[in-house]
Each structure stands twice: as C-alpha cells, then as structure tokens.
C-alpha cells in the first residue's frame, strides 16, 4: 500500500478528486470502485442537492474541499481493500459509535432525509 495522507482509524465515505476532463458522476463511480471494489452505473446514483464545503484533517495538515455527494441505490461486487482504504459495512445505528469524519456524518444524514 502507498503512503496515505488519511488519518488512521477515522472513517469516511468513498471520495476523491476529479481527474482532468472528468465529470462528477464519473468520478463518483470511479472512486466507489477504487476505494471499495463495488461497481455501479450512473442510473443508480442520485445527486444530493447540496454542495458541501468542508475541511478534513490529514497527516499533512488541514485540507479544504468542496464535495458533491451521490447516494448509490444499487451496486454489485464485494468489498475489497484499496491502496489507501479498508472498507467496512456499518449498520446505521452503529454510526454513532464510529470515529467518523464530520462531513461524512452530515452527508449520510442529508441522504437519509431525502428519502430516496
């Protein structure tokens, strides 16, 4: 595994930066695959109505991001660890017990409120 900027033992959501010329929804599909091993297609993603502005603590310092979030309604495959991540399934009631980055907690709450 390569060296990661991520803080150890902190949970988040699949996320990443856009590649040159890449559309947001294509990046969401790519990041889901890279970070979890799961695959999906555009028709299974619902864009949340909010663009999030947030900061995340990294090993290299505080980083600021704008985040567009998508709710994945259907996927295939099995969880597979990536270069920087080790994905896990978590039941919603158990989220309160995790060391979860705040923006992930907010995005999950907003997705649940959309009742999709």
């Amino acid at each position: 595994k390569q060296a990661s900027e991520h803080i150890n033992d902190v949970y988040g959501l699949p996320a990443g930066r856009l590649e040159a010329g890449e559309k947001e929804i294509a990046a969401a599909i790519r990041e889901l695959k890279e970070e979890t091993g799961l695959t999906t297609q555009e028709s299974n993603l619902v864009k949340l109505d909010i663009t999030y502005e947030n900061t995340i603590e990294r090993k290299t310092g505080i980083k600021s991001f704008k985040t567009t979030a998508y709710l994945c309604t259907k996927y295939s495959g099995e969880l597979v660890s990536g270069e920087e991540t080790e994905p896990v399934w978590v039941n919603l009631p158990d989220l309160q017990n995790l060391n979860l980055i705040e923006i992930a907690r907010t995005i999950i709450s907003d997705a649940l409120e959309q009742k999709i």
Side-chain angles (χ1 to χ4, degrees), residues 2 4 6 12-20 22-41 45 58 65-70 72 75-76 78-87:
Q2 69 184 24
S4 172
H6 298 285
L13 299 171
R17 295 175 183 92
L18 291 173
E19 294 180 354
E22 188 176 38
K23 294 183 179 185
E24 288 177 346
I25 197 160
I29 292 168
R30 176 181 54 76
E31 289 291 345
L32 180 69
K33 175 70 172 169
E34 287 177 3
E35 296 188 10
T36 69
L38 302 175
T39 59
T40 194
Q41 53 191 358
L45 295 177
R58 296 288 182 92
F65 297 93
K66 285 189 178 181
T67 302
T68 302
Y70 291 85
C72 182
Y75 59 86
S76 61
E78 298 292 326
L79 290 181
V80 177
S81 295
E83 291 181 2
E84 297 183 358
T85 60
E86 187 175 330

Side-chain angles (χ1 to χ4, degrees), residues 52 62 66 74 90:
Y52 301 88
I62 303 292
K66 285 189 178 181
K74 186 177 179 184
V90 178

